[in-house]
Amino acid sequence: MSVPVIERMQVIPVAGYDSMLMTLSGAHAPCFTRNLVILTDSAGHTGIGEIHGGDYTHDGLVAMAPLVEGTPVSKCREVLQRIHKMIDPHSTEASEGIQTLDMAKLKYVVRSEWAIECAMLDLLGQYLDVPMCQLLGEGQQRDEVEVLGYLFYVSDKRKTPASEMQYIDESDSTDPWFRLRREEILTPARIVEEAEAVAAKYGVKNFKLKGGVLRGAEEMEAVRAIKARFPEARVNIDPNGAWSLREAIDLCKDMHGIITYVEDPCGPEAGFSGREIMREFKNATQFQVATNMIATDWRQFYHTASLNACDIILADPHFWGFDGAIRMSQLLEPWGLTFGIHSNNHFDITLAAFAQVGAAAVGRVAPLDTHWIWQDGQNLLLDTPQIIGGKLQVPKKPGLGVTLNMKRVEEANALYRSLPSHDRNDATAMQYLIPGWTYNHKMPCLVR
Ligand code: GKR
Ligand code: MG
């Protein structure tokens, strides 16, 4: 039988609803955006991929379509090679990465072609009748993948004008987590309630608190409160590099036994890169550190590894590619370092993709990040992978192992088209909380 050929590539931008989640960059807007790639092959199969939203990524994908259509599903690597010849993957736009969490630079770190890689691996897996994880690295290592409970501070959406910022309301939901996730959560006691609700719903055993919102000492109180409530949990805090080296050391030095590892505690300062500063933080505190900021491509990773500046690399497949993320796990394993995955807001197609990558990663795998708990219910799939007992279930069907719900995709596309802007902007909502607020990568967003 001849290998099926990709007949059509559709790029469908979509949007979903979000809470007023707080980070160093400001406050999440009421909606987030993503781009879907849908490939159809001559055997009648559909391959899907999901990646970050925004016009830059969308337009890049549309320009790549002629390099994909007409190709046999077995030629994924050849297609990616053609794309890389066209777009120069080593362009300097991405070289600063997101060391300072500058959201305007995220679109250079995210590489559209990895959505095509995902959709092609989906088709190839269906053709060969194996799950995608069997096609990656050394094949499937596990059939469920631990995820962490990704906790955020949440601001009161009623402080923004409903006419302009229509945050989702779930106050009449019968699900306690669904109700809570749309309310204000700004104190240690409320963060503990959040952790309890997430643990009750998904069975997660470990937590990450997104910091960079309040003063570091207040965030440490929240971390202590989580650990007191869940003594067995691995608790991690991620201020996205908001603290100076001195502050980070002061804040963390007495937290051994409470924090398991720290994610991007500090970043570039005084002429030193985030990699050098993280190394000094490690020297001073002996804490393990994780990153999705100082190593977002192989060139940055070279310097990170040379300095031994990081112990846990959160290799988002949307930054590194699917093959690239698994290659990272293969590199880290013999060095005794740990692999993990970073996330931004996403739909359940990415959840399925994380399940496949998490299933194929070798060596030590940290519980994966996922924002899905904030989006759960807005499913674009008929068969959304489930998180049970804190473990994401790896789909058993071939390829990505999931099926699109086209009606939901059309609705999410209509929502996208109704938005005034498609790019992430965390400043607008923030300016309703603090008039005139502007981003400062060294100041927690509610500290002005
Ligand atoms: O989605 O707001 C967010 C996160 O803060 C995101 O921007 C970060 O990139 O979650 C990410 C992280 O772990 O640094
Ligand atoms: Mg992070």
Side-chain angles (χ1 to χ4, degrees):
M1 202 173 81
S2 60
V3 179
V5 169
I6 297 166
E7 293 182 332
R8 185 170 180 219
M9 170 167 153
Q10 288 169 275
V11 183
I12 305 187
V14 286
Y17 294 101
D18 202 5
S19 299
M20 196 171 176
L21 300 181
M22 308 301 291
T23 78
L24 183 65
S25 340
H28 282 203
C31 290
F32 68 100
T33 61
R34 304 287 280 178
N35 281 295
L36 306 186
V37 168
I38 306 182
L39 303 179
T40 317
D41 74 14
S42 52
H45 291 139
T46 301
I48 45 182
E50 175 193 339
I51 198 151
H52 295 63
D55 297 334
Y56 179 88
T57 303
H58 173 268
D59 296 351
L61 283 166
V62 169
M64 291 166 195
L67 304 180
V68 180
E69 287 170 343
T71 310
V73 302
S74 50
K75 294 204 171 166
C76 177
R77 297 296 143 207
E78 190 178 308
V79 166
L80 291 169
Q81 219 184 92
R82 275 190 236 146
I83 292 172
H84 287 150
K85 282 187 184 138
M86 179 180 92
I87 59 171
D88 181 10
H90 306 295
S91 77
T92 50
E93 277 168 334
S95 54
E96 188 188 320
I98 44 170
Q99 278 197 76
T100 58
L101 198 70
D102 180 349
M103 283 301 146
K105 304 228 163 71
L106 182 63
K107 63 181 181 222
Y108 303 128
V109 167
V110 168
R111 306 205 62 100
S112 338
E113 66 271 27
W114 305 136
I116 296 172
E117 183 189 21
C118 182
M120 284 198 76
L121 289 173
D122 186 4
L123 288 179
L124 184 59
Q126 291 178 65
Y127 172 61
L128 297 173
D129 197 24
V130 290
M132 185 192 285
C133 53
Q134 296 280 10
L135 300 174
L136 294 170
E138 296 162 40
Q140 183 158 10
Q141 308 294 313
R142 52 192 75 77
D143 51 23
E144 50 183 17
V145 182
E146 186 175 359
V147 298
L148 49 69
Y150 198 161
L151 308 177
F152 280 79
Y153 289 104
V154 186
S155 272
D156 182 357
K157 57 182 182 285
R158 291 169 307 181
K159 292 189 173 147
T160 65
S163 54
E164 283 170 50
M165 312 292 287
Q166 287 168 0
Y167 284 97
I168 186 171
D169 183 73
E170 292 188 287
S171 48
D172 58 359
S173 171
T174 52
D175 185 311
W177 163 241
F178 285 11
R179 283 197 305 275
L180 183 75
R181 65 185 175 172
R182 309 306 180 203
E183 295 172 4
E184 183 182 69
I185 304 172
L186 286 175
T187 61
R190 290 288 278 162
I191 289 285
V192 169
E193 270 183 67
E194 185 183 324
E196 286 172 342
V198 171
K201 170 112 183 135
Y202 301 100
V204 294
K205 309 273 184 297
N206 300 298
F207 300 96
K208 156 171 162 176
L209 175 64
K210 174 57 62 179
V213 179
L214 305 172
R215 288 182 203 289
E218 290 176 68
E219 295 185 351
M220 287 305 179
E221 278 314 302
V223 169
R224 285 181 198 279
I226 300 166
K227 186 70 178 178
R229 173 64 186 80
F230 294 94
E232 303 303 318
R234 289 160 56 91
V235 184
N236 151 33
I237 181 164
D238 175 15
N240 283 117
W243 305 327
S244 68
L245 176 60
R246 174 62 31 220
E247 273 177 301
I249 294 169
D250 285 348
L251 286 167
C252 296
K253 65 179 187 316
D254 299 327
M255 297 297 283
H256 286 279
I258 299 168
I259 292 178
T260 306
Y261 62 92
V262 199
E263 185 171 322
D264 290 307
C266 29
E269 66 181 50
F272 294 95
S273 79
R275 291 169 276 276
E276 292 159 321
I277 296 296
M278 288 263 277
R279 174 68 244 185
E280 291 188 35
F281 172 82
K282 273 166 58 69
N283 290 346
T285 63
Q286 301 301 309
F287 260 110
Q288 292 223 320
V289 296
T291 194
N292 59 278
M293 293 173 69
I294 62 167
T296 61
D297 65 21
W298 294 108
R299 184 175 172 195
Q300 293 169 18
F301 176 66
Y302 165 75
H303 294 288
T304 303
S306 308
L307 285 169
N308 194 6
C310 195
D311 308 282
I312 304 168
I313 303 285
L314 304 173
D316 189 329
H318 305 111
F319 299 179
W320 297 85
F322 287 72
D323 181 60
I326 297 305
R327 207 175 333 137
M328 175 66 81
S329 78
Q330 290 170 317
L331 265 177
L332 296 176
E333 183 192 21
W335 299 348
L337 300 181
T338 302
F339 171 86
I341 292 187
H342 155 267
S343 112
N344 290 108
N345 287 105
H346 61 85
F347 283 105
D348 40 354
I349 300 155
T350 289
L351 190 68
F354 281 10
Q356 297 289 349
V357 172
V362 296
R364 283 193 226 181
V365 180
L368 307 187
D369 282 18
T370 171
H371 282 58
W372 173 248
I373 59 173
W374 298 92
Q375 268 65 58
D376 189 355
Q378 302 179 51
N379 306 9
L380 300 185
L381 297 172
L382 295 169
D383 41 11
T384 302
Q386 299 298 301
I387 302 170
I388 301 169
K391 305 227 170 125
L392 175 59
Q393 306 300 301
V394 181
K396 292 191 173 25
K397 287 178 274 175
L400 192 55
V402 290
T403 312
L404 275 179
N405 179 339
M406 277 316 288
K407 184 169 172 293
R408 287 289 189 88
V409 170
E410 281 157 23
E411 287 164 6
N413 174 252
L415 177 61
Y416 176 91
R417 285 188 279 108
S418 74
L419 298 177
S421 162
H422 303 141
D423 290 323
R424 180 166 164 181
N425 176 352
D426 292 9
T428 306
M430 196 65 218
Q431 285 159 357
Y432 289 110
L433 302 179
I434 301 179
W437 185 91
T438 54
Y439 178 62
N440 180 334
H441 77 99
K442 281 296 169 203
M443 286 181 98
C445 71
L446 284 174
V447 178
R448 287 292 183 276

